[in-house]
Amino acid sequence: MTVTAPQSPPGDRAATTELPARRTGGRSAREESRRNLATLHATDVYALLGAGAAALAVTWLLFDRMLPFNGALGFLVVAYALFVGLYALLVSFDEDGPAVRDRVAAVIVQSLGLVMLAALAFVVVYTLYEGREALPHLNFYTQSMADAGPVEPLSVGGILHAIVGTLWQISIALVICIPTGLVCAVFLNEVPGPFSRFVRTIVEAMTALPSIVAGLFIYATIILGLGFDRSGLAAALAISVMMLPIVIRASDVVIRLVPGTLREASYALGTSRWRTVWHVVLPTSRSGLTTAVILGTARGVGETSPVLLTAGFTAELNTDPLKDPMVSLPLAAFELVKSPEPTYIARGFGTAAVLLMLVLVLFVIARVIGGRGPGRLTRRQEHRRVRGSRRDAQRFAARGGAGAAASPATTASLSTGSASTRSTT
């Protein structure tokens, strides 16, 4: 059955449909111009500066003239709240609702980022400033504190024993955590099942493990249970307990972000699971895995209580991690800053500054090693690939030339054989 709509009378204008007029460029006259929210305009700068000045003025008026408020922290909190509100009000004069929300969210996120950056800069600058008296001395890096007492000047003694201890402990911990953490992360992603979910739950619970508990665990099992002495190895094991959950958790998240289509393409070519993981999954997530190792290193290099429990404290240089106490940079800074002597306090802040520089160097090295994106080769790798391609081309050319030279000889031998066969016949 066909349903026919009733036809309007010829003179009825209400039933007709009119299209909006178009411009020469093809756009509708009613179409509103779009604004790029990522572009910073002069009105945005004016609104930002005006909201900041107004917030400071109103906050000063409230704290100094109208209300019995005081304190720098309260002043900053009230000024920030007024700044956000006034900025939203000023932006609303020129923008609509979505643009206002976008601008306010951007200001909040960027301001919080600046606060965190300022806090980090304050910590670094304050540490360097307090350790400025100890850092210029060369003996501070080449001597230990074995012959330096509390009243000795800064020209005597140093933190060589703490630098060596930190390098030994973090190196052993990385040797343990990098392969173990990566293998565990690959297992959690490539072998799903009840056991992998159980392991992931344990790893997530261990990320919040207190450092003193890790130190007590190694102290009870390795030192008291197995009879080993306090040493750098025991401290490295305690640091590994703290680093391993961080490395596994971060690596698990990074490997989970690898597109499944890459694995499917590899499997479609007939590749095994092991070769897919080794040649596809790990190279694709190399930069993220490097970040995971960096996060674990940052967690382990600053531990103090596990090292104090498992390695003890000493002022002498010990290069053997298998026996005798071994101190680290965080533990040395902690012990030196506790002293009431100004020289010890200066050495303590200098030790903290050296620790910051050591961590920065390790992070730069890790970024250089794993900072390339997937599929990108170094110049040496590209040169090696080019030489390999040239060798293959020469081998193919030689094989083709030998085949071409062998063709006339083969033809001649075949014709000779045919002639001999005919004569014999």
Side-chain angles (χ1 to χ4, degrees):
M1 182 178 63
T2 304
V3 178
T4 305
Q7 301 293 329
S8 301
D12 190 1
R13 299 290 298 173
T16 60
T17 302
E18 296 182 0
L19 296 177
R22 296 184 176 273
R23 298 178 182 177
T24 56
R27 290 188 177 182
S28 172
R30 300 179 181 177
E31 183 180 355
E32 297 181 358
S33 60
R34 296 182 179 179
R35 177 180 176 182
N36 186 9
L37 296 178
T39 304
L40 186 65
H41 297 271
T43 55
D44 301 326
V45 178
Y46 298 153
L48 193 66
L49 296 178
L56 290 176
V58 173
T59 306
W60 173 81
L61 185 63
L62 292 175
F63 272 68
D64 192 68
R65 300 297 182 184
M66 299 179 62
L67 300 176
F69 292 161
N70 55 16
L73 182 60
F75 185 90
L76 293 176
V77 171
V78 174
Y80 182 75
L82 290 175
F83 164 74
V84 173
L86 292 173
Y87 180 75
L89 178 62
L90 294 177
V91 172
S92 64
F93 292 154
D94 297 328
E95 304 291 348
D96 54 358
V100 172
R101 289 191 292 270
D102 178 81
R103 293 299 180 186
V104 172
V107 165
I108 292 175
V109 172
Q110 293 173 4
S111 60
L112 293 179
L114 289 176
V115 170
M116 298 301 297
L117 182 61
L120 178 62
F122 174 77
V123 171
V124 174
V125 172
Y126 181 77
T127 303
L128 295 175
Y129 178 78
E130 292 293 333
R132 69 190 184 280
E133 298 179 359
L135 292 175
H137 296 276
L138 183 61
N139 60 280
F140 186 69
Y141 312 98
T142 58
Q143 297 180 8
S144 65
M145 293 294 295
D147 300 328
V151 295
E152 296 290 342
L154 294 175
S155 58
V156 179
I159 58 170
L160 179 63
H161 60 303
I163 296 176
V164 173
T166 297
L167 291 177
W168 267 116
Q169 294 170 13
I170 201 65
S171 299
I172 296 174
L174 288 175
V175 169
I176 296 173
C177 291
I178 291 178
T180 307
L182 297 183
V183 169
C184 184
V186 170
F187 166 76
L188 294 178
N189 285 272
E190 300 296 330
V191 189
F195 186 68
S196 63
R197 290 195 296 269
F198 172 74
V199 173
R200 182 178 284 111
T201 302
I202 297 299
V203 169
E204 291 177 355
M206 288 185 62
T207 53
L209 184 70
S211 58
I212 189 66
V213 176
L216 288 174
F217 170 73
I218 297 299
Y219 181 79
T221 56
I222 302 299
I223 298 177
L224 296 182
L226 301 179
F228 287 90
D229 296 332
R230 291 187 176 185
S231 59
L233 178 61
L237 294 177
I239 293 175
S240 301
V241 174
M242 301 301 303
M243 292 175 53
L244 191 58
I246 305 298
V247 176
I248 295 175
R249 189 71 182 93
S251 302
D252 178 28
V253 173
V254 170
I255 295 177
R256 197 181 302 176
L257 296 177
V258 176
T261 53
L262 296 179
R263 295 184 177 91
E264 294 173 359
S266 179
Y267 293 149
L269 294 174
T271 309
S272 62
R273 176 179 293 180
W274 162 247
R275 292 183 65 87
T276 299
V277 170
W278 185 257
H279 293 284
V280 177
V281 176
L282 294 181
T284 303
S285 57
R286 177 176 53 215
S287 179
L289 296 177
T290 304
T291 303
V293 174
I294 289 174
L295 292 175
T297 305
R299 176 66 186 274
V301 76
E303 295 295 340
T304 302
S305 55
V307 179
L308 182 61
L309 283 173
T310 56
F313 180 80
T314 180
E316 298 180 356
L317 176 63
N318 180 19
T319 57
D320 188 0
L322 301 179
K323 61 180 181 180
D324 297 332
M326 178 179 286
V327 71
S328 63
L329 285 172
L331 182 57
F334 174 72
E335 294 291 340
L336 290 171
V337 170
K338 288 195 309 180
S339 175
E341 296 296 331
T343 55
Y344 265 35
I345 295 176
R347 289 189 180 99
F349 279 100
T351 304
V354 172
L355 178 61
L356 291 176
M357 291 185 287
L358 178 62
V359 172
L360 178 62
V361 170
L362 293 177
F363 283 5
V364 170
I365 293 174
R367 279 299 181 189
V368 170
I369 294 175
R372 298 187 305 274
R376 297 181 58 186
L377 304 177
T378 61
R379 292 184 178 180
R380 181 177 299 179
Q381 291 174 339
E382 292 179 356
H383 184 61
R384 188 161 55 245
R385 290 289 180 89
V386 170
R387 287 188 303 175
S389 300
R390 290 176 179 174
R391 288 195 301 266
D392 294 339
Q394 293 174 0
R395 186 172 67 254
F396 294 154
R399 183 179 300 176
S407 297
T410 304
T411 304
S413 61
L414 290 175
S415 61
T416 304
S418 301
S420 61
T421 302
R422 285 195 301 270
S423 62
T424 303
T425 305

